[in-house]
Amino acid sequence: AAWLAEQLEAAGLEPAGDEGYMQPFAFSFGAQRAATGNALALGKTALTIDEHYKPLLYSGSGLATGELAFAGFGIAAPDEGYDDLADLDLQGKVAVVLTGGPRDDAGGAFGGDRPIVYQDLRYKVATCRDAGARAVILVNQDDDWLQVPVGDPGLPVIQLTKAAAQEHLGIDAVARAAALDQGPASEVLATRVTLTVKLEQLEGNSQNVVERRGARDHRRGRA
């Protein structure tokens, strides 16, 4: 930027920024978990961050309380003959959602050759949000922590480990996923949840380099 400003000045072009040739601006380049303020309690049991759960960076900040509801894969695709939410009222509840989708032979969801939009975690979150969920708890079918691009879907989103889901909710993620191949099996769980997600937006500073051509330059048609 400084080099560009020098070249513009040497060419006799007028500065047009707020600071000479420079036009500073701030920009967002992601988010990070706040050092304090994140919490999850299932019933009266407080769980441990980074051991039992993690807030996703694809999440809104805030507090959510309510009944837990197992929402299967979090897929609402009635045109495809599959809808986890058809017989489930998510209004005011916290949705528990498995990764993946129903399988039909060796393909992906609905028998396709590869995963489709319904298996995208952002789609699952949006589906539950639009159905009235206060928050979404994702449970992976393996032991990896989920990686979702930074974003704010408008409600808190966390991941609960497969082991914690089994221990505290009685949900065997792999067995439940296999059962869902036969069709949705959503249900309200006999557990209340209180969770808080606190994220901090990261901002950086940069600048555009701006010049203004004089009237004489315009008359001459300079490019």
Side-chain angles (χ1 to χ4, degrees):
W3 181 86
L4 286 172
E6 290 175 0
Q7 306 312 304
L8 295 174
E9 184 176 16
L13 299 172
E14 299 176 13
D18 288 343
E19 299 177 5
Y21 291 99
M22 302 300 183
Q23 183 72 35
F25 65 92
F27 65 96
S28 174
F29 66 93
Q32 65 182 8
R33 190 175 79 200
T36 61
N38 291 280
L40 171 64
L42 298 176
K44 296 182 179 180
T45 304
L47 275 62
T48 304
I49 197 168
D50 293 329
E51 178 181 349
H52 302 122
Y53 77 96
K54 274 188 178 183
L56 268 66
L57 295 183
Y58 184 74
S59 174
S61 292
L63 167 70
T65 62
E67 291 181 295
L68 281 175
F70 176 67
F73 291 117
I75 293 175
D79 291 345
E80 299 283 354
Y82 187 92
D83 191 347
D84 283 306
L85 307 187
D87 298 314
L88 180 66
D89 180 10
L90 271 182
Q91 193 68 42
K93 299 179 178 65
V94 175
V96 179
V97 175
L98 300 180
T99 59
R103 302 188 67 83
D104 181 9
D105 63 48
F110 316 118
D113 295 330
R114 58 184 62 84
I116 56 178
V117 65
Y118 299 111
Q119 293 170 267
D120 187 288
L121 297 179
R122 292 166 294 184
Y123 165 84
K124 294 171 181 280
V125 170
T127 298
C128 293
R129 177 200 63 206
D130 294 347
R134 291 180 175 174
V136 176
I137 297 176
L138 297 170
V139 180
N140 202 356
Q141 293 187 55
D142 58 37
D143 296 320
D144 295 333
W145 292 111
L146 300 171
Q147 301 294 326
V148 186
V150 174
D152 184 353
L155 77 175
V157 183
I158 69 170
Q159 177 185 354
L160 186 65
T161 66
K162 183 173 67 172
Q166 174 75 69
E167 179 181 355
H168 297 283
L169 300 178
I171 293 177
D172 182 326
V174 176
R176 288 279 186 127
L180 290 172
D181 288 345
Q182 307 305 313
S186 302
E187 61 177 328
V188 177
L189 303 174
T191 305
R192 290 188 64 83
V193 63
T194 301
L195 65 87
T196 304
V197 172
K198 186 175 181 182
L199 301 179
E200 297 173 343
Q201 299 302 310
L202 301 176
E203 286 196 345
N205 295 291
S206 188
Q207 60 277 319
N208 290 316
V209 182
V210 188
E211 55 84 11
R212 179 186 297 111
R213 290 176 172 84
R216 184 173 59 181
D217 293 332
H218 284 298
R219 286 196 302 270
R220 292 180 178 178
R222 288 184 55 173

